Amino acid sequence: MEGSIRCAANYAPLSPLSFLERAAVVYADRTAVIYGSKRYTWRQTRDRCLMIASSLALLGVSRGDVVAVLAANVPAMYELHFGVPMAGAILCTLNTRHDAAMLSTLLKHSEAKVLLVELHFLETAQAALELISRMKSSIPLLITISDSDTVASDVMDYEALLLKAPTRFEIRWPLDECDPISLNYTSGTTSRPKGVIYSHRGAYLNTVSTLLAHDICTMPLLLWTVPMFHCNGWCLAWGMAAQGGVNICIRNVTAKAIFDNIALHKVTHLGGAPTVLNIVINSPLTERKPLPGKVVFFTGGAPPPPKVLSEMEKLGFQVNHLYGLTETYGPATTCTWRPEWDTLPVKEKVKLKALQGLHNISIEEVDIKDPITMKSVPNDGRTMGEVMFRGNAIMSGYYKDPAATKEVMKDGWLRSGDLGVKHPIGYIQLKDRSKDIIISGGENISTIEVESVIYSHPAVLEAAVVARPDHYWGETPCAFVKLKDGFSVGEKEIIKFCREKLPHYMAPRSVVFSELPKTSTGKIQKYVLREKAKALGSLSKKGMGKL
Amino acid sequence: MEGSIRCAANYAPLSPLSFLERAAVVYADRTAVIYGSKRYTWRQTRDRCLMIASSLALLGVSRGDVVAVLAANVPAMYELHFGVPMAGAILCTLNTRHDAAMLSTLLKHSEAKVLLVELHFLETAQAALELISRMKSSIPLLITISDSDTVASDVMDYEALLLKAPTRFEIRWPLDECDPISLNYTSGTTSRPKGVIYSHRGAYLNTVSTLLAHDICTMPLLLWTVPMFHCNGWCLAWGMAAQGGVNICIRNVTAKAIFDNIALHKVTHLGGAPTVLNIVINSPLTERKPLPGKVVFFTGGAPPPPKVLSEMEKLGFQVNHLYGLTETYGPATTCTWRPEWDTLPVKEKVKLKALQGLHNISIEEVDIKDPITMKSVPNDGRTMGEVMFRGNAIMSGYYKDPAATKEVMKDGWLRSGDLGVKHPIGYIQLKDRSKDIIISGGENISTIEVESVIYSHPAVLEAAVVARPDHYWGETPCAFVKLKDGFSVGEKEIIKFCREKLPHYMAPRSVVFSELPKTSTGKIQKYVLREKAKALGSLSKKGMGKL
């Protein structure tokens, strides 16, 4: 249009770095980070981020380099979410539960120039570096992150680097807003690492989108129970800067730490996978404390069993259910709660709350489609299809894997690998990961549905259902169950309990009582259980088994 | 980064149109628009927008055409904020208080292809078209907007067009997110119309920025007291779709309409210039109704006198103070309220609330600079400079005026023409429009400061201070005052009152009691008053006047 121009006055690449720059003036002297007795204001946080950026640059980190971090939710971890991109580099946060072998694979794949390691993980990190050196690959520069502020200035330590950082460093803003800001390896342990690339633009947009979808108002108090290494803390690391919030950092997520911090700091928000909710609802009464006000608990990462939701609400938490993938910068959909649902019976309410809902504004569309024909399934609550997304909060791609990138985004949609249905109100509901679904006698069985029923048994702490090979039915549901302390029930009772509440073919045919293996983000590792179920062997003899 | 791609799955041009598409599924059956007894859901609103887009396309509106509207805050006006850009066209909302001559100038300048006119303004619009036809310019196609749903199908009326609109229209999404979405003529009446161009990207970003800065949570209830023709209703026309709010449309902004609607619909948000706040606080007791809950009242468009703020809070409103220009898509800064200020004495509180604050996230930076050297003024609360902005929510330019565009955005900053100071806490405070400031004996006098004092006099309803030419001092302050009904005070008392509260040289030297001329957005037209003050002649004889 005649008269339109694009210039420095009216265009800036979208970047979450601008949230910090703004927080340092708008919320200057307000608390940004709390960690034990440590407190930093937003101005201090901004200064510390700039100093680490300046130090990294001095150490030779250039635009586009990868800087990896292995740390719990400590202040340095928070600051690196800004400091690394301020140096023009790409932040690669590593899962703290990885072993040395996995770490070495990811460090090699990412070609990280620097690895920052919290002392707690130093041994594993050094083992990983040893493995890399044996592979004759170049080894990243190691910087430690110690809990203490007083470190010798000659040590390659985070705090020491801050102390001697050159001042007057100029932020290396992205040249293009689609430039990468972070690299997030998905938790799947495969021989082909999937490094999900986030851009400055996508990170900016998903951050504001999550803030809006969940009514995260100005100056919230967030307890860091979501690992920051997981989708950059669901983009909330950047979100707290956008809204001038307080980041309450903790190293270990326990019921005591949760209740203590909520009471002490008047926490308004926290989040976690259903496993974290489980920790809370199964906590001993002695560890609980009354909530100081409205506390919103985001849950995502796995569909929450309705029983878990109702227990959380009984404790006074407002549970907000979100859903997304590493590939969608974390939160992509929200089960937007309608005020008219408030008066429904609890049973109805938790069923509604367990829906994955609909897309936030950073996603243009979420849909459930037939992955072959790409036709949308009807809103009948029954027809299954694959959950697909398109929009600005979809990853730029898998690092160094153009083939996988192209495959997962073909036809203009990101394929989630999750199976679900669309309800008449339009909200989606996950039924299973496509690799988890059980096909028994030609019928699809949603393991999530079976698990929800098992969770409602009063003796059950955790449950996971996987396929067990079966000569006659092809597959049958096999449940792995962990009971609550002091409870004792047998396989038959669990099966009977399920048969009363589910179609016969959906009830488990076998139940194993054991601990459930989990990823660091609290997801149950079904592939491990599937191996165990396979090892149990086929249940029915050929031509025999009858339901 | 290797593996990064940009494709339909992970990139979509930012556009507020996506808010409506999403609202139609997320908030499908919830109320979107209320106007008297009429109600439309979000799904219906989306359908109506698509139908008007489809009709406009059928009438020949092409990508990049301008479609003008002259209407109060009625549902059609709301829908056109989406319907016009859905047809690929640019929405030009015209000030309903313009006369035929001004309208003809703007219609000609904008080259509007279509003019939609509410019946109330038809006579003026027809006179404007008559003027255009005399100038032998091409006349826009006239479409009426009637209050009734039942219009003859052969009439060129909005509702008739909806009835016969072709179905299955494909939205013309912007090809580039920087494509224009609307054209907003600033309220200044000059021979050189300033058509401010808004882009889809800027509109999207300023919308989310305003929602976040003011904690506008999901499903708000907005009473439309801000004219939608003014900066597209401060971008809230789009914002309500982003958060699934209810738009309560009214034609006339009166105290009765405000209190009645707040009570009836449980309004959560409304906004307006200080003039609207004045209407509220000076309303007869018989028209007032108790507020049903927390009601946020945004004020902007002119600095609010502290007295007005304290009266509003007494009535129970939470006043949020924002500041911006047409050139910044409306809201650009917010006086972010710090919780620790809650306990201050009222006098301190209203002084803080009257600050213009700091930038929202869609603005990268607001600063106060010397317009010549471009140096920032110190945060001393005293040194004046020009308010300047840079960021994504700065206009694309002035339509057909590259010279003015370049001038106002030179050196990488948008110059606001407003003078202000920076306080030690970093918040900015407006002191005057650069053209309004009075220079008396070499001293700058902020007319806003003098007005604030006059407003605190119990007999004063409204006040404006302008420069009066003076042979000795150059200029002296001249106050125009409107008294409240039933009050009577003289010039001397007002001057004495000011001298008690201000340095001698800042107190008005003359006071005129009269009605104050205003723009349709409630801004006092100081240029009219300046002419009047000039007509009063020089006050002091050469070499005589002594203060």
Side-chain angles (χ1 to χ4, degrees):
Chain A
M1 204 172 187
E2 196 198 331
S4 287
I5 58 171
R6 184 193 282 195
C7 63
N10 69 3
Y11 187 90
L14 294 176
S15 168
L17 294 182
S18 69
F19 300 151
L20 180 63
E21 290 298 290
R22 178 176 165 272
V25 293
V26 176
Y27 302 104
D29 297 317
R30 298 186 65 82
T31 303
V33 177
I34 296 178
Y35 179 53
S37 60
K38 276 186 207 168
R39 273 169 191 258
Y40 301 111
T41 65
W42 277 108
R43 206 196 316 259
Q44 288 169 330
T45 297
R46 192 262 180 187
D47 287 349
R48 288 170 59 87
C49 294
L50 200 65
M51 283 191 284
I52 196 64
S54 134
S55 285
L56 290 171
L58 194 71
L59 291 169
V61 169
S62 305
R63 201 179 269 281
D65 284 348
V66 170
V67 171
V69 194
L70 187 65
N73 286 347
V74 293
M77 180 67 156
Y78 185 76
E79 290 157 7
L80 288 163
H81 275 79
F82 299 94
V84 170
M86 275 172 157
I90 300 156
L91 178 70
C92 177
T93 50
L94 298 165
N95 191 320
T96 53
R97 296 214 189 158
H98 282 329
D99 59 14
M102 189 65 193
L103 286 177
S104 69
T105 306
L106 300 184
L107 287 169
K108 211 176 146 227
H109 187 268
S110 67
E111 296 174 48
K113 290 281 189 306
V114 175
L115 171 63
L116 292 112
V117 180
E118 225 198 329
L119 288 183
H120 297 77
F121 309 109
L122 189 58
E123 210 170 307
T124 322
Q126 276 168 333
L129 297 187
E130 176 61 30
L131 286 174
I132 297 176
S133 97
R134 265 190 248 158
M135 292 186 275
K136 305 221 158 39
S137 291
S138 60
I139 298 172
L141 178 71
L142 188 73
I143 299 174
T144 55
I145 299 171
S146 54
D147 243 11
S148 157
D149 281 347
T150 50
V151 282
S153 64
D154 59 339
V155 176
M156 276 298 271
D157 187 87
Y158 189 85
E159 292 296 335
L161 287 174
L162 290 189
L163 281 177
K164 60 187 178 202
T167 48
R168 304 179 60 80
F169 176 73
E170 191 118 336
I171 296 173
R172 293 174 184 162
W173 291 94
L175 303 175
D176 182 298
E177 64 192 24
C178 292
D179 285 351
I181 188 170
S182 63
L183 183 60
N184 287 282
Y185 284 95
T186 56
S187 52
T189 48
T190 66
S191 54
R192 189 180 178 181
K194 278 160 111 183
V196 174
I197 305 169
Y198 287 8
S199 72
H200 283 261
R201 173 184 167 101
Y204 181 107
L205 293 172
N206 206 56
T207 300
V208 301
S209 171
T210 301
L211 295 173
L212 286 172
H214 294 282
D215 295 341
I216 305 180
C217 292
T218 41
M219 298 173 263
L221 288 101
L222 179 75
L223 179 63
W224 271 106
T225 44
V226 172
M228 287 190 217
F229 66 69
H230 190 220
C231 307
N232 302 112
W234 298 353
C235 288
L236 290 174
W238 299 309
M240 288 304 103
Q243 287 296 52
V246 180
N247 293 280
I248 299 152
C249 292
I250 51 173
R251 288 204 84 260
N252 298 306
V253 176
T254 62
K256 189 172 171 353
I258 289 174
F259 282 108
D260 284 354
N261 278 286
I262 289 176
L264 180 62
H265 300 297
K266 296 196 168 48
V267 163
T268 58
H269 296 81
L270 71 165
T275 322
V276 182
L277 277 67
N278 246 329
I279 292 176
V280 170
I281 60 179
N282 293 305
S283 58
L285 289 175
T286 50
E287 288 184 353
R288 296 189 188 174
K289 287 189 177 162
L291 305 183
K294 181 175 157 187
V295 182
V296 175
F297 207 122
F298 307 111
T299 189
K307 183 71 188 301
V308 174
L309 291 175
S310 62
E311 293 290 324
M312 283 296 287
E313 305 250 334
K314 254 189 234 166
L315 286 177
F317 292 98
Q318 178 193 312
V319 180
N320 280 18
H321 180 199
L322 52 86
Y323 158 65
L325 321 168
T326 302
E327 286 85 345
T328 65
Y329 293 72
T333 75
T334 304
C335 179
T336 302
W337 191 254
R338 301 185 174 178
E340 57 269 28
W341 293 344
D342 280 341
T343 51
L344 293 176
V346 176
K347 249 189 167 172
E348 289 303 305
K349 278 164 82 168
V350 292
K351 260 192 204 167
L352 285 164
K353 185 140 278 181
L355 303 183
Q356 277 66 34
L358 280 162
H359 52 301
N360 302 340
I361 61 165
S362 55
I363 299 288
E364 296 291 300
E365 245 181 302
V366 65
D367 199 4
I368 296 189
K369 290 171 173 288
D370 179 311
I372 309 297
T373 66
M374 291 303 278
K375 275 198 184 143
S376 300
V377 303
N379 286 24
D380 59 7
R382 283 184 298 122
T383 314
M384 264 202 249
E386 186 173 354
V387 181
M388 300 193 189
F389 301 94
R390 60 176 196 84
N392 289 301
I394 304 295
M395 65 164 182
S396 304
Y398 294 121
Y399 185 41
K400 294 190 199 166
D401 201 339
T405 302
K406 228 178 138 182
E407 180 61 24
V408 79
M409 292 203 265
K410 70 182 173 193
D411 305 315
W413 292 81
L414 176 89
R415 286 141 196 267
S416 69
D418 284 326
L419 300 178
V421 298
K422 275 196 290 188
H423 284 273
I425 58 164
Y427 284 28
I428 68 163
Q429 182 176 18
L430 292 199
K431 288 294 176 179
D432 233 324
R433 291 287 301 166
S434 52
K435 58 186 182 212
D436 292 341
I437 196 129
I438 300 170
I439 303 172
S440 187
E443 293 285 343
N444 284 334
I445 298 176
S446 154
T447 60
I448 295 170
E449 269 178 62
V450 184
E451 288 157 8
S452 288
V453 170
I454 303 177
Y455 264 103
S456 69
H457 189 287
V460 171
L461 183 69
E462 286 173 330
V465 173
V466 298
R468 178 174 176 179
D470 188 287
H471 288 306
Y472 185 78
W473 299 103
E475 295 175 346
T476 56
C478 172
F480 289 80
V481 171
K482 187 183 172 188
L483 295 177
K484 290 180 187 162
D485 280 350
F487 281 85
S488 156
V489 288
E491 179 176 27
K492 278 191 186 158
E493 182 176 333
I494 297 288
I495 294 175
K496 184 168 163 276
F497 184 79
C498 291
R499 287 193 176 161
E500 281 163 8
K501 295 179 162 56
L502 287 170
H504 201 111
Y505 73 96
M506 286 180 75
R509 299 258 287 166
S510 44
V511 180
V512 180
F513 295 94
S514 72
E515 284 288 327
L516 302 187
K518 279 181 213 137
T519 69
S520 54
T521 59
K523 283 190 200 176
I524 293 166
Q525 293 173 305
K526 287 208 170 171
Y527 70 94
V528 176
L529 297 177
R530 251 193 307 273
E531 289 307 310
K532 285 194 186 174
K534 218 180 267 176
L536 292 175
S538 178
L539 194 64
S540 50
K541 297 278 170 279
K542 206 177 179 176
M544 269 181 61
K546 277 265 151 75
L547 286 182
Chain B
M1 202 169 188
E2 197 197 332
S4 286
I5 57 170
R6 184 193 282 195
C7 64
N10 70 3
Y11 188 90
L14 294 175
S15 166
L17 294 182
S18 69
F19 300 152
L20 180 63
E21 291 298 290
R22 178 177 165 271
V25 293
V26 176
Y27 302 104
D29 296 318
R30 298 187 65 84
T31 303
V33 177
I34 296 179
Y35 179 52
S37 59
K38 276 185 209 169
R39 272 170 192 258
Y40 301 110
T41 65
W42 277 108
R43 207 196 315 259
Q44 289 170 328
T45 297
R46 191 263 181 186
D47 287 349
R48 288 171 59 85
C49 294
L50 200 65
M51 283 192 283
I52 197 65
S54 136
S55 285
L56 290 171
L58 194 71
L59 291 170
V61 169
S62 305
R63 202 179 267 281
D65 283 348
V66 171
V67 171
V69 193
L70 187 64
N73 286 347
V74 293
M77 179 68 157
Y78 184 76
E79 291 157 5
L80 288 163
H81 275 79
F82 299 94
V84 170
M86 275 171 158
I90 300 156
L91 178 70
C92 176
T93 50
L94 298 165
N95 190 320
T96 53
R97 296 215 189 158
H98 282 329
D99 59 14
M102 189 65 191
L103 286 176
S104 68
T105 305
L106 300 184
L107 288 169
K108 214 176 144 226
H109 186 269
S110 68
E111 296 175 46
K113 290 282 189 303
V114 174
L115 171 63
L116 292 111
V117 180
E118 225 199 329
L119 288 184
H120 298 79
F121 308 109
L122 190 56
E123 211 171 306
T124 322
Q126 277 169 332
L129 297 186
E130 176 61 30
L131 285 172
I132 297 175
S133 98
R134 266 190 245 158
M135 292 186 274
K136 305 220 157 44
S137 292
S138 61
I139 299 172
L141 178 70
L142 189 72
I143 298 174
T144 55
I145 300 171
S146 54
D147 245 9
S148 158
D149 281 347
T150 50
V151 282
S153 64
D154 59 338
V155 177
M156 277 298 270
D157 188 88
Y158 189 84
E159 292 295 335
L161 287 174
L162 290 189
L163 282 178
K164 60 186 180 204
T167 48
R168 305 180 58 82
F169 176 75
E170 192 117 336
I171 296 173
R172 293 174 184 161
W173 291 93
L175 302 176
D176 182 300
E177 64 192 26
C178 292
D179 286 350
I181 189 170
S182 63
L183 184 60
N184 287 282
Y185 285 95
T186 57
S187 51
T189 47
T190 65
S191 54
R192 190 178 176 181
K194 278 160 112 182
V196 174
I197 304 169
Y198 286 9
S199 72
H200 283 261
R201 173 184 167 101
Y204 180 108
L205 293 172
N206 206 57
T207 299
V208 300
S209 169
T210 301
L211 295 173
L212 286 172
H214 294 282
D215 296 340
I216 305 180
C217 292
T218 41
M219 299 174 263
L221 288 100
L222 179 75
L223 180 62
W224 271 106
T225 44
V226 172
M228 288 190 216
F229 67 70
H230 190 220
C231 307
N232 303 113
W234 298 353
C235 289
L236 291 173
W238 299 309
M240 288 304 103
Q243 287 295 53
V246 180
N247 293 279
I248 299 153
C249 293
I250 51 172
R251 289 203 83 259
N252 298 305
V253 176
T254 61
K256 189 171 170 358
I258 289 174
F259 282 107
D260 284 354
N261 277 287
I262 290 175
L264 180 63
H265 299 298
K266 298 199 167 42
V267 164
T268 58
H269 297 80
L270 72 165
T275 324
V276 181
L277 277 68
N278 246 327
I279 291 175
V280 170
I281 60 179
N282 292 305
S283 57
L285 290 176
T286 49
E287 288 184 352
R288 296 189 189 173
K289 287 188 176 162
L291 304 184
K294 180 175 158 187
V295 182
V296 175
F297 206 122
F298 307 110
T299 189
K307 184 70 188 301
V308 173
L309 291 175
S310 63
E311 294 290 325
M312 283 296 287
E313 305 250 334
K314 253 190 234 167
L315 286 177
F317 292 97
Q318 179 191 313
V319 180
N320 279 19
H321 180 200
L322 54 86
Y323 158 65
L325 320 168
T326 302
E327 285 84 345
T328 65
Y329 293 73
T333 75
T334 305
C335 179
T336 303
W337 190 252
R338 301 186 174 178
E340 58 269 30
W341 294 344
D342 280 341
T343 50
L344 292 176
V346 176
K347 249 191 167 168
E348 290 303 305
K349 278 163 83 169
V350 292
K351 260 192 203 166
L352 286 164
K353 185 140 279 183
L355 304 182
Q356 277 67 33
L358 280 163
H359 53 301
N360 302 340
I361 60 164
S362 55
I363 299 288
E364 296 291 300
E365 246 182 302
V366 65
D367 199 3
I368 296 189
K369 289 173 173 286
D370 179 312
I372 308 298
T373 66
M374 291 303 278
K375 274 199 185 143
S376 300
V377 302
N379 286 23
D380 60 6
R382 284 184 298 119
T383 315
M384 263 201 249
E386 187 173 354
V387 180
M388 300 193 189
F389 301 95
R390 62 176 195 84
N392 289 301
I394 303 295
M395 66 164 182
S396 304
Y398 295 121
Y399 186 39
K400 293 188 198 168
D401 200 340
T405 301
K406 228 177 137 183
E407 180 61 24
V408 80
M409 292 203 266
K410 69 182 175 194
D411 305 314
W413 291 81
L414 176 88
R415 287 142 194 266
S416 69
D418 284 326
L419 300 178
V421 298
K422 275 196 290 188
H423 285 273
I425 57 165
Y427 284 26
I428 66 162
Q429 182 176 18
L430 292 198
K431 287 296 177 180
D432 233 323
R433 291 288 302 167
S434 52
K435 61 185 182 213
D436 292 339
I437 197 128
I438 300 170
I439 303 172
S440 187
E443 294 285 345
N444 284 334
I445 299 175
S446 154
T447 60
I448 294 171
E449 268 179 61
V450 184
E451 288 157 9
S452 287
V453 169
I454 303 178
Y455 263 102
S456 70
H457 190 288
V460 171
L461 182 69
E462 285 172 333
V465 173
V466 297
R468 178 174 175 179
D470 188 287
H471 287 306
Y472 186 77
W473 299 103
E475 294 175 347
T476 57
C478 172
F480 288 81
V481 171
K482 188 184 171 186
L483 295 177
K484 288 181 188 163
D485 280 348
F487 282 85
S488 158
V489 288
E491 180 174 25
K492 278 191 185 157
E493 181 176 334
I494 297 289
I495 293 175
K496 184 167 163 277
F497 184 81
C498 290
R499 287 192 177 161
E500 283 162 6
K501 296 178 162 57
L502 286 170
H504 200 111
Y505 74 96
M506 286 180 73
R509 299 258 287 165
S510 45
V511 179
V512 180
F513 295 95
S514 72
E515 284 288 328
L516 302 186
K518 278 181 215 138
T519 69
S520 55
T521 58
K523 283 191 198 173
I524 293 165
Q525 292 173 305
K526 287 207 170 171
Y527 69 95
V528 176
L529 297 176
R530 253 193 306 273
E531 288 307 309
K532 282 193 187 175
K534 215 180 269 176
L536 292 174
S538 177
L539 196 65
S540 50
K541 298 277 171 278
K542 204 176 177 177
M544 270 181 60
K546 279 262 150 75
L547 286 181

